């Protein structure tokens, strides 16, 4: 299911922001983008998401904006002094008489300028603690938004399921009448052929063959199983916890049953109902892909 949340907090060292966004996906995929300084926290964020969610493609963005006093780099005097001493010796050895030292270049040398970072243990621990709290709050808001969408999905799925139940009921009613008519029509055609060619038919043999043919038209088992599947589907919709994959499996079974009905029965009206039923199942299947 889709969802979005953004939480942030201000501290003396700066502002930390965590943003969650999720889109529909059959499985759970978590992508965390936190930057170099907070990369060590990525596994903890992924673990927190996996504990709360079961489906969806989830993007997590972590932004750390340093306060102005922390944004400025600090010069390491010992390292700078060492570089200056070495550079001065080189300049003097060249004998060009210049006393000027390339200070701008020296400041760019490794270790001279300490850039802002969570270098101190106490600051790192505080940032880690704040990040954990923001992750929890952000997930709360994300889950709440997904639950709101889930309620709307439930209404739509329930409505489609009820429409499907009506279609299956119509198929059952029409089939009972069509089966009797088809049986009598077949019996009359067989009798007409026998009369035309003056063939003597064994009544017992005829009854046996007619029974075999009638079984090929029989969709009572498909109707019964479909009714059971619909009942199980409704129970799953009322359950708590992850159930998207179970619903998806039931839909596959329901689709198999209605396909069999369409292949067994030649009545045009029933076949149109089968088409309508399959369309409803496809709509439910698309919605179920968003359900955990």
């Amino acid at each position: 299911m889709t969802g979005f949340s953004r939480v942030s907090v201000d501290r003396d060292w700066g502002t930390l922001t965590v943003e969650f966004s999720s889109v529909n996906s059959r499985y759970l995929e978590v992508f965390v983008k936190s930057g170099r300084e907070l990369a060590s926290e990525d596994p903890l964020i992924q673990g927190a998401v996996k504990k709360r969610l079961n489906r969806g493609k989830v993007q997590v963005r972590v932004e750390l904006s340093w306060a102005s006093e922390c944004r400025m780099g600090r010069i390491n005097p010992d390292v700078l002094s060492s570089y200056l001493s070495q550079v001065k010796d080189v300049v003097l050895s060249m004998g060009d008489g210049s006393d000027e030292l390339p200070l701008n270049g020296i400041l760019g040398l490794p270790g001279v300028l300490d850039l802002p970072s969570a270098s101190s243990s106490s600051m790192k621990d505080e940032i880690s603690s704040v990040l954990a709290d923001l992750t929890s709050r952000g997930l709360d808001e994300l889950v709440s938004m997904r639950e709101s969408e889930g309620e709307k999905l439930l209404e739509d799925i329930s409505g489609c399921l009820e429409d499907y139940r009506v279609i299956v009921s119509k198929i059952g009613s029409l089939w009972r009448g069509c089966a009797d008519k088809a049986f009598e029509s077949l019996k009359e055609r067989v009798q007409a052929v026998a009369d035309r060619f003056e063939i003597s038919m064994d009544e017992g043999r005829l009854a046996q063959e007619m029974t075999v043919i009638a079984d090929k038209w029989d969709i009572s088992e498909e109707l019964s199983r479909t009714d059971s599947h619909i009942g199980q589907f409704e129970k799953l919709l009322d359950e708590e916890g992850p159930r998207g994959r179970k619903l998806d499996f039931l839909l596959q079974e329901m689709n198999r049953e209605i396909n069999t009905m369409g292949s067994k029965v030649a009545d045009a009206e029933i076949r149109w109902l089968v088409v309508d039923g399959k369309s409803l199942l496809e709509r439910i299947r698309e919605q179920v892909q968003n359900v955990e």
Side-chain angles (χ1 to χ4, degrees), residues 239-250:
E239 287 184 4
E240 297 292 334
R243 52 200 186 277
R245 294 182 183 178
K246 293 181 181 179
L247 293 174
D248 192 49
F249 172 76
L250 274 177

Side-chain angles (χ1 to χ4, degrees), residues 16-35:
L16 185 61
T17 303
V18 181
E19 179 181 291
F20 291 88
S21 62
S22 71
V23 295
N24 301 326
S25 179
R26 187 173 183 179
Y27 303 101
L28 178 62
E29 302 174 82
V30 184
F31 304 93
V32 181
K33 185 177 181 181
S34 59

Side-chain angles (χ1 to χ4, degrees), residues 189-200:
R189 290 201 301 271
V190 171
Q191 186 64 53
V193 171
D195 292 343
R196 180 178 179 181
F197 293 98
E198 298 180 353
I199 299 174
S200 178

Side-chain angles (χ1 to χ4, degrees), residues 70-88:
C70 296
R71 193 177 297 122
M72 180 179 64
R74 290 184 173 84
I75 295 175
N76 188 318
D78 295 332
V79 176
L80 177 60
S81 177
S82 177
Y83 276 126
L84 287 173
S85 176
Q86 295 179 56
V87 171
K88 185 176 182 180

Side-chain angles (χ1 to χ4, degrees), residues 51 57 80 125 170 187 204 232 235 250 261 286:
K51 286 181 180 179
K57 183 178 291 186
L80 177 60
D125 291 343
K170 288 181 180 179
K187 183 177 179 181
Q232 294 178 55
K235 288 181 180 179
L250 274 177
M261 295 180 204
E286 290 176 355

Side-chain angles (χ1 to χ4, degrees), residues 5 20 52 133-147:
S5 69
F20 291 88
R52 301 288 300 275
D133 180 63
L134 286 178
T135 299
S136 178
R137 285 169 49 195
L139 282 170
D140 287 342
E141 293 185 13
L142 181 70
V143 169
S144 178
M145 186 174 180
R146 285 162 61 103
E147 287 177 348

Side-chain angles (χ1 to χ4, degrees), residues 86 102 201 238 265:
Q86 295 179 56
M201 292 189 305
D238 292 334
V265 182

Side-chain angles (χ1 to χ4, degrees), residues 23 39 43 98 118 152 183 228 240 262 284 286:
V23 295
S98 175
K152 296 178 181 178
F183 186 83
S228 174
E240 297 292 334
I284 295 174
E286 290 176 355

